[in-house]
Amino acid sequence: MMRRNSTRKLIYRIVFSISIVFITLLITAEVVHNYADKFRIYEIDAVLFSVSGNKSDNGCYHFSDTVIVSELGKRTLLMGIRFKLEYVSTRKFHFWENNNSLDGAYGHVDTIKAISVLSGDSPGMRLSNDTLEDASGYKFFTAENISASEGHHGNQNGCYEAQALGNLKKFTAFYNDNGTKDNMVIWMRDFHIFKIPGNCDSLFVLKSPKINIRFSDGKIISSNLKYIKI
């Protein structure tokens, strides 16, 4: 009889211990199981593109990062900006739930205060970035060193598809007004293109341009405009 009681007590203790461990796991899972549902911009890749010739048979323009100074005014120049993102967690989920959402799928946590194109030769000099024009006519393109595996989407008839929102002010307004837009992170991985007016070509080519983004929290990120000048 005593042996039977001892066995029962042992079973109760084992069950009690397992219950404590299970409850502890539940509490721990509730506290630490976050997922990266939002994003913020931490870096930018900015390129000065020269548009070579007319559309190809499948509707693509060819973008080159080589700018020939003697041909300024004869070829269309575009500024392309691609954003590098970091992902942050603001939500929790239970460990038994399946979260198949893309990192950053539920919007962003930062706010852009201003985007400027500055002269690297004359710090503080703005290069007419408010006059950048709509480049939507050049959305479908091919270019060297761009891979869909890096996130760029819209490979249509062999073309990549850039995003075009008219000018930097419109892009900034769209970004800030869509802080909770679903799957915006996919759109942010593409090149965003802006047409440089013909009367600003030489400024953008000869003044070592730099893209400068200021955020509402005081953070500033910058990138030199990359291109080969010959």
Side-chain angles (χ1 to χ4, degrees):
M1 190 70 168
M2 289 181 62
R3 185 176 296 173
R4 185 177 298 174
N5 289 336
S6 297
T7 303
R8 282 181 180 174
K9 286 181 180 180
L10 180 60
I11 292 173
Y12 290 152
R13 285 174 182 169
I14 292 172
V15 171
F16 180 76
S17 298
I18 291 173
S19 300
I20 292 297
V21 170
F22 182 71
I23 292 170
T24 302
L25 285 174
L26 286 178
I27 294 172
T28 303
E30 177 64 23
V31 172
V32 303
H33 276 256
N34 296 340
Y35 65 95
D37 61 317
K38 301 262 186 176
F39 70 89
R40 63 166 66 95
I41 301 169
Y42 80 92
E43 195 175 334
I44 53 174
D45 186 22
V47 182
L48 183 63
F49 288 123
S50 173
V51 181
S52 302
N54 299 317
K55 287 182 182 179
S56 64
D57 292 340
N58 55 350
C60 312
Y61 282 100
H62 183 72
F63 292 178
S64 171
D65 62 358
T66 299
V67 178
I68 303 172
V69 175
S70 62
E71 293 187 0
L72 287 177
K74 298 177 183 177
R75 292 191 180 189
T76 298
L77 294 184
L78 305 175
M79 184 175 71
I81 302 178
R82 197 170 181 184
F83 298 88
K84 297 181 181 179
L85 312 175
E86 60 182 355
Y87 306 100
V88 296
S89 300
T90 62
R91 302 189 190 189
K92 303 187 185 79
F93 72 104
H94 299 289
F95 73 93
W96 62 80
E97 292 176 332
N98 240 345
N99 175 45
N100 297 315
S101 298
L102 185 71
D103 284 346
Y106 294 98
H108 57 88
V109 297
D110 53 357
T111 302
I112 296 174
K113 191 171 183 180
I115 305 178
S116 302
V117 184
L118 305 176
S119 168
D121 294 341
S122 305
M125 176 183 173
R126 290 176 53 153
L127 300 183
S128 304
N129 54 298
D130 291 337
T131 66
L132 290 171
E133 298 174 350
D134 180 20
S136 56
Y138 299 91
K139 284 181 64 171
F140 298 103
F141 71 97
T142 58
E144 296 87 2
N145 304 317
I146 295 178
S147 169
S149 65
E150 296 172 354
H152 208 290
H153 81 281
N155 196 333
Q156 177 176 323
N157 298 327
C159 309
Y160 292 109
E161 181 178 359
Q163 304 298 328
L165 279 176
N167 55 47
L168 292 174
K169 283 186 175 179
K170 289 181 179 179
F171 168 80
T172 301
F174 183 87
Y175 183 82
N176 290 341
D177 291 345
N178 287 276
T180 58
K181 184 178 176 64
D182 289 353
N183 294 319
M184 190 174 180
V185 63
I186 300 174
W187 175 82
M188 287 294 292
R189 288 174 172 175
D190 294 345
F191 266 109
H192 293 69
I193 58 173
F194 307 90
K195 186 174 181 290
I196 296 171
N199 60 350
C200 296
D201 280 3
S202 59
L203 285 175
F204 276 77
V205 173
L206 303 176
K207 292 292 183 180
S208 303
K210 174 186 284 188
I211 311 303
N212 196 73
I213 302 182
R214 287 187 293 123
F215 295 86
S216 59
D217 62 359
K219 180 178 71 174
I220 297 175
I221 58 175
S222 298
S223 174
N224 292 326
L225 195 57
K226 301 172 185 174
Y227 58 100
I228 300 169
K229 182 171 63 177
I230 59 174

